Amino acid sequence: MNVNLTTSQMVVGAGGILLLLMVWRSGARRAHKAAERARDGARVVSLAGRVLLMTAGLVGIQWLVFTHSTDTTLRLVALALPDLIAAYVLTRALTVTDLGTRRSRGDRR
């Protein structure tokens, strides 16, 4: 089988292949960005779910203590423990421990 292609046919064929590759790459980029957005959204939903579950657990324990106990010390512990945990978490989250400045390899002082 002998195929004779003109120069213009070869240019059109190469352009078609190039166009196909460009469309494929842009689709892959869009798919990657969409997957990254979905992962970010799932992280937020997962965090919110864990926060709500922990809140329900703490409120349930406090409710049990307040409805079934008259001991003042136990009631104070039931109220203070979640506050201590929240204060620790907020302090860790809001404390700046690293300024994020890095020296380059060439900059040795």
Side-chain angles (χ1 to χ4, degrees):
M1 180 171 172
N2 191 3
V3 177
N4 293 328
L5 296 174
T6 64
T7 305
S8 60
Q9 289 173 332
M10 291 188 335
V11 169
V12 168
I17 292 172
L18 182 63
L19 180 66
L20 186 64
L21 285 174
M22 288 173 55
V23 168
W24 177 70
R25 292 251 330 177
S26 71
R29 282 190 197 119
R30 270 186 272 147
H32 180 71
K33 287 179 184 177
E36 188 65 33
R37 282 192 301 268
R39 263 187 249 116
D40 290 343
R43 285 184 197 122
V44 171
V45 171
S46 175
L47 177 62
R50 285 182 275 158
V51 167
L52 291 175
L53 185 64
M54 190 64 154
T55 301
L58 290 173
V59 168
I61 291 169
Q62 288 176 337
W63 178 79
L64 283 173
V65 167
F66 275 84
T67 56
H68 298 294
S69 175
T70 58
D71 185 15
T72 306
T73 305
L74 187 59
R75 286 181 172 196
L76 287 174
V77 168
L79 287 175
L81 190 61
D83 290 339
L84 286 172
I85 294 169
Y88 173 76
V89 170
L90 284 173
T91 302
R92 288 279 308 230
L94 298 176
T95 301
V96 177
T97 58
D98 186 18
L99 295 177
T101 57
R102 293 185 181 181
R103 292 186 290 184
S104 63
R105 288 186 172 197
D107 184 23
R108 297 180 191 249
R109 294 181 188 178

